């Protein structure tokens, strides 16, 4: 995977910067969007992440969901699953949160110039992809067709609905699919892999960007490869248990790679043999 240029915003790699929470928006029952003050000159690439910390609770890796070129703030979309994410969920506008980063390599969208793009997201996996999708939609003329397949457990858990409507209005072919739906709901049903072939993009030359649970990533990568997409064009971002986020502690080390520094973005070629059962 080509390394995107990492910004040198943060010289002290272990010391968090304290930034102000500007706004907190409830997206679903367990997921909130945080708008944070962006320090002067702070730049990040789609797919990079931050180590976000709350004093006394700990530090966790969270992808940046905003897009550097388009947003004056830094946006994080956080699902409450345990101790640290619960502490983040207690934060109110005006509070401070620690951030280290931006970390990791990020997506390589320039490799898809002139080509069709398929985004595939599952659950909270839409958060890192949103940064890339807005980056691509902002300079859509440089790319071919754009398509999205986004799966969620139920209609109430679908994130960023107004933006999905906007992306559709801008020409994206978007399919939202849920496991269970009520009668009035306009979404499709079924898992994302059931809807991949419905997208009318060139699979042989196109690029795909995938984020979601590991079981979904594994199936989508395999299916796209079988549909003829070159393994170097099938790109995902991986989750792993992390502590330092900068390639020092070894917590995220798997199959010869540090997910935090060699990734979290990898091509299918790079992780074909990865044991997806190793990590969350
Ligand atoms: C590069 C990267 C980007 C991420 N981006 C986001 C994001 O944008 N939004 C978001 O809500 N979450 C994101 N995560 C997942 C997030 O880091 C975890 O949910 C968080 O570390 C859980 O910490 P906790 O203390 O709240 O829960 P814990 O008490 O530590 O764990 C609660 C549950 O979450 C699982 N878990 C713990 N750490 C991780 C992890 N790193 N990945 C997946 N599951 C984990 C545990 O196995 C356990 O089942 C990202 C993870 C990585 C590695
Ligand atoms: S989290 Fe420490 S090496 Fe990756």
């Amino acid at each position: 995977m080509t390394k995107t240029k990492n910004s040198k915003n943060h010289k002290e790699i272990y010391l968090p910067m304290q930034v102000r929470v500007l706004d907190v928006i409830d997206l679903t029952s367990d997921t909130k969007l945080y708008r944070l003050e962006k320090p002067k000159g702070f730049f990040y690439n789609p797919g990079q992440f931050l180590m976000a910390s709350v004093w006394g609770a700990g530090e966790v890796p969270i992808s940046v969901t905003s897009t550097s070129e388009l947003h004056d703030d830094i946006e994080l979309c956080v699902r409450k699953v345990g101790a640290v994410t619960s502490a983040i969920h207690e934060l109110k506008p005006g509070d401070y949160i620690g951030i280290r980063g931006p970390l990791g390599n990020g997506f390589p969208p320039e490799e898809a110039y002139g080509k069709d793009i398929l985004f595939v997201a599952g659950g909270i996996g839409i958060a890192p992809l949103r940064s890339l999708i807005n980056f691509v939609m902002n300079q859509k003329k440089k790319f071919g067709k754009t398509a999205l397949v986004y799966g969620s457990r139920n209609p109430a858990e679908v994130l960023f609905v107004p933006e999905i409507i906007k992306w559709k209005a801008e020409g994206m072919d978007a399919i939202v699919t849920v496991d269970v739906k009520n009668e009035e709901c306009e979404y499709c049903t079924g898992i994302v892999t059931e809807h991949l072939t419905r997208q009318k993009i060139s699979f042989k030359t196109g690029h795909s960007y995938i984020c979601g649970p590991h079981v979904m990533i594994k199936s989508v990568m395999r299916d796209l490869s079988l549909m003829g997409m070159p393994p170097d064009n099938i790109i995902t971002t991986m989750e792993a248990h992390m502590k330092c986020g900068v390639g020092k502690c070894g917590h995220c080390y798997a199959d010869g790679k540090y997910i935090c520094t060699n990734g979290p973005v990898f091509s299918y070629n790079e992780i074909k043999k990865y044991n997806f059962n190793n990590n969350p």
Side-chain angles (χ1 to χ4, degrees):
M1 175 64 36
T2 316
K3 271 205 154 192
T4 38
K5 193 176 46 158
N6 262 354
S7 65
K8 302 280 180 227
N9 301 312
H10 196 201
K11 293 203 180 86
E12 176 48 71
I13 57 172
Y14 297 116
L15 192 66
M17 283 184 278
Q18 297 298 321
V19 296
R20 203 154 51 93
V21 176
L22 301 174
D23 201 4
V24 182
I25 300 160
D26 285 311
L27 296 180
T28 68
S29 59
D30 64 0
T31 304
K32 293 185 182 188
L33 183 75
Y34 291 82
R35 292 186 46 240
L36 311 180
E37 195 169 36
K38 181 156 89 168
K40 201 160 176 273
F42 190 90
F43 180 84
Y44 52 90
N45 293 304
Q48 287 195 291
F49 67 95
L50 302 175
M51 293 302 292
S53 54
V54 176
W55 184 250
E59 191 176 43
V60 287
I62 301 289
S63 304
V64 186
T65 187
S66 47
T67 307
S68 217
E69 293 80 357
L70 303 176
H71 292 94
D72 295 333
D73 51 11
I74 300 171
E75 292 182 355
L76 305 181
C77 175
V78 182
R79 193 174 67 181
K80 182 172 156 180
V81 295
V84 181
T85 48
S86 296
I88 294 175
H89 268 232
E90 293 298 314
L91 295 175
K92 306 272 178 296
D95 289 343
Y96 282 78
I97 183 170
I99 57 167
R100 286 194 293 125
L103 303 171
N105 55 357
F107 293 110
E110 62 289 345
E111 289 177 9
Y113 283 164
K115 304 285 175 21
D116 293 352
I117 297 185
L118 172 64
F119 302 99
V120 186
I124 190 81
I126 191 74
L129 285 187
R130 173 181 178 247
S131 176
L132 178 66
I133 293 172
N134 280 321
F135 177 92
V136 168
M137 297 309 278
N138 184 48
Q139 37 186 314
K140 205 171 166 299
K141 284 192 185 133
K142 290 188 181 168
F143 300 91
K145 289 182 197 158
T146 51
L148 167 72
V149 180
Y150 169 30
S152 209
R153 273 186 299 218
N154 59 60
E157 290 187 25
V158 177
L159 298 166
F160 303 117
V161 176
E163 259 164 289
I164 295 171
I165 294 168
K166 178 173 154 281
W167 297 334
K168 277 185 170 180
E170 291 167 354
M172 173 185 275
D173 197 353
I175 294 174
V176 178
T177 179
V178 293
D179 295 348
V180 188
K181 69 174 188 175
N182 50 32
E183 273 167 20
E184 316 88 69
C185 167
E186 79 276 24
Y187 302 138
C188 304
T189 45
I191 54 175
V192 292
T193 43
E194 292 171 32
H195 297 281
L196 297 177
T197 50
R198 289 180 51 206
Q199 290 296 12
K200 303 206 172 20
I201 62 151
S202 163
F203 287 95
K204 295 230 154 44
T205 59
H207 288 237
S208 68
Y209 299 96
I210 306 157
C211 189
H214 279 178
V215 62
M216 184 208 92
I217 293 176
K218 195 176 169 185
S219 314
V220 172
M221 288 188 127
R222 186 202 53 218
D223 287 6
L224 290 175
S225 172
L226 291 172
M227 287 155 75
M229 191 172 277
D232 280 331
N233 295 4
I234 305 173
I235 311 290
T236 190
T237 173
M238 308 272 296
E239 288 205 358
H241 290 288
M242 290 185 185
K243 286 286 176 205
C244 70
V246 290
K248 304 290 183 200
C249 73
H251 264 81
C252 68
Y253 187 77
D255 290 353
K257 294 183 178 65
Y258 293 99
I259 309 284
C260 64
T261 49
N262 299 128
V265 173
F266 294 98
S267 72
Y268 187 38
N269 245 350
E270 291 171 300
I271 55 162
K272 242 181 213 166
K273 298 198 179 90
Y274 179 77
N275 178 0
F276 281 82
N277 299 324
N278 279 345
N279 262 302

